[in-house]
């Protein structure tokens, strides 16, 4: 009745896909569980009360793989059987359910209550928990390769790669303290984080497999790139931000009048581009940019700008002594603010040219009309 070849193939597939589960795990299955595997699965099949699918048998094997020694308490196994049957009833094709994913998560407390001092089966299982840390570690390694490619300045250290998987696993298992909350929560939940993607309890196996869920928690998306807005909701960003190593902010970009390229460097980076002279360069705001501020050793500085009411270009605020000059026209479209009404202001971050003086030496009204840092001018809303 048990298709051992099918189970072995599933296990092999799972180990390949899950990569990073630790080389000790197959050995454990071979040495410890396999001796009693037939007895274990017979016991599970016998106490499942109802029809037993191939996926449920695979689950029993996965339970032997991830669980503590000995047989599980029957109530615990039936808790899993109930979860499994509810999922199978809703799944378009129950055969695609990944029993190893499900049981790994179940062993960590997903789909059930974790009972402290309830014995090894009711707590977090001794193999499932490190397997979860390994999943997070594999995801962090992959995420760091993407970071190193796209944003080398934010790449993780070898200490990060050692320490963060364990911390993130703790977060995922229901005690995230990253300070991220659902939009509608407004910090009323009384917890330190209630953002669903940071909580394994919110994982829906019918929506995605375990690893993409972990990827989303670790880097904000399961896709193969770092996206500023999504990354800012990830455990990795929250940790780096806490250490002052990264910020997601609005950044001022210029648009080249020659080739249309957006850039935040001093000149257009397009090779061979020679922008026409005497044409003013529109400046615009891009949200969700990942930066390092200059007070943390980076080269972005917080600035306040006027916003043109007609063309939305942002432009520098000049100062007359300490007071801003409110009547300056937009340098792009010549719009002039109605007298007595200052244009809208916006706080954003500007990439500092490599030869400009470090922070603290920039006086009001520099050569380019550089405005002084004034965090009170407008609240930064994207934290
Ligand atoms: Zn969190
Ligand atoms: Zn969060
Ligand atoms: Zn909350
Ligand atoms: Zn250009
Ligand atoms: Zn304008």
């Amino acid at each position: 009745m048990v298709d051992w070849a099918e189970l072995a193939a599933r296990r092999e597939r799972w180990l390949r896909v899950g990569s990073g589960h630790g080389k000790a795990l197959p050995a454990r299955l071979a040495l410890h569980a396999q001796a009693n595997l037939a007895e274990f699965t017979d016991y599970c099949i016998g106490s499942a009360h109802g029809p037993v699918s191939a996926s449920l048998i695979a689950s029993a094997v996965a339970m032997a793989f991830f669980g503590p020694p000995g047989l599980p308490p029957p109530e615990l196994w039936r808790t899993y059987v109930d979860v499994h049957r509810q999922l199978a009833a809703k799944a378009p094709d129950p055969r695609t359910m990944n029993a190893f994913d499900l049981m790994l998560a179940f062993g960590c407390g997903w789909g059930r209550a974790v009972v402290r001092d309830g014995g090894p089966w009711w707590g977090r299982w001794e193999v499932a928990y490190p397997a979860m840390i390994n999943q997070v570690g594999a995801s962090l390694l992959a995420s760091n390769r993407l970071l190193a490619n796209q944003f080398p300045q934010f790449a993780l250290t070898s200490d990060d790669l050692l320490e963060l998987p364990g911390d993130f696993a703790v977060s995922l298992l229901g005690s995230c303290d990253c300070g991220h909350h659902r939009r509608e929560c407004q910090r009323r939940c009384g917890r330190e984080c209630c953002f669903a993607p940071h909580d394994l309890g919110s994982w829906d196996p019918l929506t995605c497999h375990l690893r993409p869920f972990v990827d989303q928690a670790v880097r904000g998306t399961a896709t193969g790139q770092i996206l500023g807005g999504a990354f800012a909701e990830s455990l990795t960003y929250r940790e780096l931000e806490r250490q002052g190593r990264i910020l997601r902010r609005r950044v001022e970009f210029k648009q080249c009048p020659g080739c249309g390229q957006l850039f935040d460097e001093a000149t257009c980076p397009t090779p061979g581009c020679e922008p026409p002279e005497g044409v003013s360069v529109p400046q615009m705001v891009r949200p969700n940019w990942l930066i390092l501020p200059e007070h943390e050793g980076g080269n972005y500085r917080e600035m306040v700008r006027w916003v043109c009411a007609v063309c939305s270009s942002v432009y520098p605020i000049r100062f007359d002594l300490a007071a801003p000059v409110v009547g300056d026209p937009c340098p792009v479209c010549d719009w002039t603010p109605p007298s007595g009404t200052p244009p809208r202001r916006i706080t954003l971050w500007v990439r500092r040219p490599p030869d400009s003086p470090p922070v603290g030496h920039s006086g009001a009204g520099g050569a380019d009309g550089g405005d002084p840092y004034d965090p009170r001018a407008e609240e930064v809303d994207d934290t």
Side-chain angles (χ1 to χ4, degrees):
M1 135 167 223
V2 175
D3 183 348
W4 294 108
E6 162 69 12
L7 288 179
R10 274 169 186 257
R11 179 176 145 260
E12 285 311 311
R13 242 184 353 257
W14 179 82
L15 285 171
R16 267 203 312 277
V17 172
S19 71
H21 278 274
K23 294 189 169 57
L25 297 182
R28 179 193 151 93
L29 182 61
L31 291 174
H32 167 76
Q34 202 143 36
N36 303 313
L37 193 55
E39 182 198 346
F40 192 100
T41 47
D42 284 350
Y43 165 85
C44 288
I45 292 164
S47 51
H49 296 186
V52 175
S53 62
S55 170
L56 202 54
I57 296 169
S59 298
V61 176
M63 198 177 210
F65 181 53
F66 286 122
L71 297 172
E75 317 89 88
L76 184 68
W77 165 244
R78 279 201 295 275
T79 300
Y80 176 84
V81 172
D82 286 344
V83 170
H84 188 277
R85 283 184 179 145
Q86 282 163 26
L87 287 172
K90 283 189 285 177
D93 180 2
R95 285 171 304 177
T96 62
M97 287 172 35
N98 187 321
F100 279 87
D101 271 7
L102 290 173
M103 199 52 83
L104 193 168
F106 188 73
C108 290
W110 172 85
R112 69 181 173 102
V114 171
V115 184
R116 285 183 208 285
D117 308 321
W121 278 104
W122 289 102
R124 295 200 166 104
W125 304 346
E126 57 185 73
V127 179
Y129 186 46
M132 176 61 76
I133 296 176
N134 283 336
Q135 286 268 331
V136 175
S139 172
L140 195 66
L141 266 183
S143 305
N144 190 43
R145 273 196 296 273
L146 298 172
L147 267 181
N149 255 329
Q150 288 179 250
F151 304 96
Q153 67 273 36
F154 303 126
L156 303 174
T157 67
S158 47
D159 280 353
D160 294 332
L161 294 172
L162 276 177
E163 289 163 14
L164 294 181
D167 294 352
F168 289 178
V170 169
S171 293
L172 280 171
L173 299 188
S175 39
C176 188
D177 62 354
C178 79
H180 199 359
H181 293 262
R182 289 171 301 129
R183 201 173 282 274
E184 62 274 23
C185 166
Q186 312 277 358
R187 297 182 179 266
R188 285 185 298 242
C189 63
R191 291 158 56 188
E192 292 182 83
C193 162
C194 69
F195 189 59
H198 294 185
D199 180 359
L200 182 67
S202 71
W203 175 50
D204 178 359
L206 299 181
T207 311
C208 71
H209 287 294
L210 185 59
R211 176 59 190 275
F213 180 85
V214 170
D215 284 338
Q216 201 197 341
V218 168
R219 65 170 179 269
T221 166
T223 62
Q225 57 178 322
I226 303 291
L227 305 164
F231 185 67
E233 302 198 312
S234 71
L235 291 169
T236 303
Y237 173 88
R238 294 252 149 195
E239 178 62 30
L240 295 181
E241 184 193 34
R242 175 150 48 189
Q243 297 179 21
R245 290 162 59 183
I246 197 170
L247 275 181
R248 183 261 312 252
R249 286 293 181 266
R250 288 192 288 250
V251 168
E252 179 177 271
F253 273 72
K254 307 173 192 72
Q255 183 161 33
C256 174
C259 68
Q261 171 81 34
L262 291 175
F263 59 98
D264 66 348
E265 300 95 329
T267 55
C268 174
T270 303
C273 174
E274 285 177 34
E277 305 212 2
V279 179
S280 46
V281 178
Q283 302 193 124
M284 54 202 50
V285 179
R286 301 185 87 174
N288 298 328
W289 221 249
L290 300 174
I291 64 159
L292 192 58
E294 60 183 354
H295 59 82
E296 300 285 2
N299 51 3
Y300 285 85
R301 178 180 299 177
E302 194 172 26
M303 296 284 204
V304 185
R305 301 291 202 217
W306 300 130
V307 182
C308 172
V310 172
C311 75
S312 303
S313 198
V314 295
Y315 59 102
I317 300 176
R318 282 190 310 126
F319 280 80
D320 184 8
L321 296 178
V325 178
V326 298
D328 280 351
C330 167
V332 176
C333 74
D334 273 340
W335 170 75
T336 308
S339 71
T341 325
R344 188 164 74 83
R345 290 197 223 200
I346 192 167
T347 303
L348 43 66
W349 291 70
V350 177
R351 182 156 164 162
R352 183 165 60 91
D355 54 352
S356 78
V359 70
H361 297 268
S362 65
D368 67 345
D371 31 18
Y373 166 81
D374 180 9
R376 291 157 305 169
E378 189 195 61
E379 258 200 278
V380 177
D381 66 355
D382 50 358
T383 46

